[in-house]
Amino acid sequence: NTQPAASALARLPAGVYFSSSVSGEKNSRRILPEDSYQSTLSSIVERDYFPSLPSLRRDVTVLERRAAGDVAGAVAVRRAARRLADHEESLAREEAGGEAEAQEGK
């Protein structure tokens, strides 16, 4: 099944994929450093195939802080994760709103 891979390529950050111009010019490619390529590819694989990993990492961090007796640190980790999730949700809503406006303009 190549659908997840194809959709992952469509959602690469700007500059990671090669872009072609509409006017028919030759395709230009941007060659990335290996570290940048690996980190981008890893984040795509994690996002598409292992979406629960970030929450599992957060839970491990919270449990490690609690085991060390750092209750305030555990609370801080949870609050930071909640703020990040709220921010990502607001970005998704803004993006969905922009797509809806583009559809209405057609």
Side-chain angles (χ1 to χ4, degrees):
N1 187 0
T2 61
Q3 181 62 24
S7 65
L9 288 175
R11 294 186 304 241
L12 284 172
V16 173
Y17 54 93
F18 72 91
S19 62
S20 61
S21 64
V22 178
S23 63
E25 295 176 10
K26 186 177 179 180
N27 288 341
S28 63
R29 294 179 184 217
R30 180 174 175 202
I31 299 174
L32 297 173
E34 184 177 356
D35 294 341
S36 177
Y37 173 79
Q38 277 187 326
S39 67
T40 302
L41 189 58
S42 295
S43 66
I44 291 169
V45 169
E46 181 178 311
R47 179 194 65 212
D48 290 350
Y49 295 102
F50 305 101
S52 63
L53 275 180
S55 65
L56 293 173
R57 287 188 186 117
R58 181 204 63 221
D59 294 345
V60 166
T61 303
V62 168
L63 292 173
E64 287 173 345
R65 297 275 174 107
R66 283 185 179 174
D70 185 10
V71 176
V75 170
V77 168
R78 285 201 184 268
R79 285 182 181 161
R82 191 174 308 125
R83 278 194 304 269
L84 180 61
D86 290 344
H87 179 68
E88 288 174 349
E89 286 177 18
S90 68
L91 289 176
R93 281 193 303 269
E94 288 175 10
E95 185 176 307
E99 290 175 1
E101 290 175 8
Q103 292 293 333
E104 291 173 3
K106 285 186 176 180

